[in-house]
Amino acid sequence: MTTRPIAFLNARLVDPESGYDGPGALIAEHGKIAAVTHEAGFANLSPDIRQIDCDGAMLAPGLIDLRVKTGEPGSEPKETLKSAARAAAAGGVTSIVVQPDTHPAVDDPSVVDFILRRARDIELVHVYPAGAATKGLAGQQMAEIGLMREAGCVYVTDVDRPIVDSKVMRRLLAYAHGQNLLVAHRPADPWLTAGAAATESEFAGRMGLPSAPAAAEQIMLERDAALVALTGARLLVDQISAACALETLARAKAKGLPMIATASINHLTFNELDIGDYRTFWKLEPPLRAEDDRQALIDAVVSGLVDIVVSAHAPAPAEDKRLPFEEAAPGSIGLETLLPALLALWHEGRAPLLRLIETVTLAPAKAIGLSAGRLALGAPADLVLCDLAAPRVIDAAKLTSKSKNSAFDGRRLQGEVLMTLVDGRVVSEAATADA
């Protein structure tokens, strides 16, 4: 199918690769970026090109979300690959990495192939599978990570289950290093965190919630850093959230260890007090931290200590959330709120726009070896057009995801996605004005 070329005129181009944030125009043609200028438009455009007057709206690379859970295969009522892809497109996310904690787990190349075939059939956003690090996510025996890499998985992880056995973790890292494969691991001491629903604090004690100290994250990260030093493997620290763990990450990076880190938009936005009167939409993994941790995390994103921001999209149906706080399923959907929630840090003056866009475009693209994440000639025409100032009140019931468990329900944000392009195809469009 031939896609009509599109010219975006009078835009605010935000390109993290070149560091440019200013006026410009861009043409998407044949799935690629065919022309870019820092002028407001192009002379003598062909009438065959669709012209869009952006009226100063931001045109940036499409977002790349490295941590997205779905229910497919096995738990489709939570979220299907198609509903996740539609939610991503609505949120300006053009590439998603789906997690392997499905039924069956993505611990075999045949399941990797299934996900890639389903994604091709859906034809919306790019879908990349992450493979399980261990068989059945059980943390005991390494999965066929070499074969899964050949099949198309972009990294391996056991998702929310820490790999407790240090010998297994060392073997995994050593083998992955030989395969040049990224390993993602969420650091959490399992003995300290067992049964916990909150971060250990005066607040958790007052609420009577079982809790674990934030140091549980640091303890496991110290071990992981030592094993990275031993093996030379690339490690993605998954959803770092505690100030004490940031200290460990800083020391590891200062030593030159090949470690990068993600933070979830939830932990950059909320703190433990948002739990309020046992509101289960704010039950997350890792649990929400103190305000000091949140502020430290924002500073780490701005400085580049934390490389990437993720939505940590984790759908859960109402029956799994309408339970006592301790029993409720953790997680929040986030594909459609990632961009406006991230922009809140810019609107508040906490972070430069270029840096924030880098954390969800160029940085994740580099982490998994994609050529996207930039506004350059010949780059993929994966783009998002966003009205930075448009006010929004998030209504979880109106979000595209099959599950409606949004921690941002009722929150006032600014930033509306006007159009999303994947390989030059319009996959989502709101109210845009043709010139």
Side-chain angles (χ1 to χ4, degrees), residues 247-271:
E247 296 171 5
T248 298
L249 179 64
R251 288 198 306 274
K253 283 194 167 188
K255 292 177 183 178
L257 296 182
M259 295 168 61
I260 56 177
T262 68
S264 89
I265 190 61
N266 302 317
H267 292 86
L268 291 166
T269 305
F270 305 109
N271 66 31

Side-chain angles (χ1 to χ4, degrees), residues 214 217-218 241-248 289 292-294 296-297:
E217 185 170 283
Q218 182 183 28
S241 61
C244 57
L246 291 170
E247 296 171 5
T248 298
R289 307 297 190 188
D292 287 348
D293 291 292
R294 187 180 80 90
L297 198 60

Side-chain angles (χ1 to χ4, degrees), residues 19-374:
Y20 181 73
D21 176 3
L26 179 148
I27 296 176
E29 187 173 10
H30 302 308
K32 303 289 185 181
I33 296 175
V36 183
T37 179
H38 294 170
E39 302 296 327
F42 300 94
N44 303 318
L45 282 173
S46 165
D48 295 332
I49 297 178
R50 179 183 177 186
Q51 299 181 39
I52 296 176
D53 182 357
C54 301
D55 194 24
M58 178 187 72
L59 185 65
L63 277 59
I64 301 168
D65 192 346
L66 293 191
R67 201 184 204 277
V68 174
K69 290 188 178 187
T70 73
E72 188 175 1
S75 300
E76 285 81 0
K78 290 182 180 180
E79 190 87 282
T80 63
L81 288 168
K82 186 172 184 177
S83 65
R86 289 177 60 235
V93 180
T94 54
S95 297
I96 60 175
V97 178
V98 293
Q99 300 301 285
D101 54 344
T102 51
H103 304 285
V106 187
D107 60 0
D108 180 274
S110 64
V111 190
V112 173
D113 184 62
F114 165 79
I115 291 171
L116 290 172
R117 284 187 288 106
R118 284 285 292 125
R120 283 193 293 268
D121 292 342
I122 293 165
E123 287 189 319
L124 280 170
V125 303
H126 302 294
V127 177
Y128 301 99
T134 65
K135 289 187 177 180
L137 307 174
Q140 296 175 358
Q141 187 176 359
M142 188 168 59
E144 298 285 356
I145 66 174
L147 294 177
M148 287 193 294
R149 181 182 184 278
E150 291 178 7
C153 86
V154 292
Y155 66 77
V156 293
T157 177
D158 273 1
V159 202
D160 295 317
R161 302 182 188 181
I163 298 173
V164 181
D165 190 322
S166 297
K167 184 177 285 188
V168 172
M169 186 65 171
R170 179 188 179 177
R171 288 173 175 166
L172 170 67
L173 288 170
Y175 189 74
H177 180 51
Q179 297 285 326
N180 191 28
L181 181 62
L182 183 67
V183 175
H185 190 238
R186 188 166 76 76
D189 182 293
W191 291 278
L192 284 172
T193 57
T199 299
E200 186 176 290
S201 66
E202 180 186 349
F203 172 77
R206 200 166 60 245
M207 298 287 284
L209 293 173
S211 60
E217 185 170 283
Q218 182 183 28
I219 289 168
M220 186 60 83
L221 186 56
E222 292 279 0
R223 183 209 69 169
D224 288 353
L227 292 178
V228 168
L230 196 62
T231 61
R234 295 167 58 224
L235 179 70
L236 174 65
V237 182
D238 179 24
Q239 290 189 88
I240 196 166
S241 61
C244 57
L246 291 170
E247 296 171 5
T248 298
L249 179 64
R251 288 198 306 274
K253 283 194 167 188
K255 292 177 183 178
L257 296 182
M259 295 168 61
I260 56 177
T262 68
S264 89
I265 190 61
N266 302 317
H267 292 86
L268 291 166
T269 305
F270 305 109
N271 66 31
E272 61 182 352
L273 300 182
D274 285 295
I275 292 170
D277 189 20
Y278 305 100
R279 290 177 287 182
T280 58
F281 279 10
W282 283 265
K283 184 183 180 184
L284 305 172
E285 285 187 353
L288 290 172
R289 307 297 190 188
E291 177 63 11
D292 287 348
D293 291 292
R294 187 180 80 90
Q295 294 296 333
L297 198 60
I298 293 172
D299 291 341
V301 167
V302 174
S303 71
L305 176 61
V306 170
D307 308 82
I308 296 163
V309 175
V310 296
S311 74
H313 182 82
E319 60 268 23
D320 290 346
K321 278 291 187 180
R322 290 174 181 164
L323 293 169
F325 195 87
E326 297 171 39
E327 301 173 22
S332 168
I333 58 171
L335 282 165
E336 293 166 82
T337 50
L338 174 58
L339 182 54
L342 193 66
L343 290 174
L345 299 176
W346 173 65
H347 287 297
E348 294 165 3
R350 288 302 311 275
L353 183 60
L354 264 170
R355 171 60 192 147
L356 293 174
I357 296 302
E358 180 184 9
T359 66
V360 288
T361 57
L362 186 63
K366 287 180 176 179
I368 60 172
L370 302 182
S371 59
R374 55 205 178 96

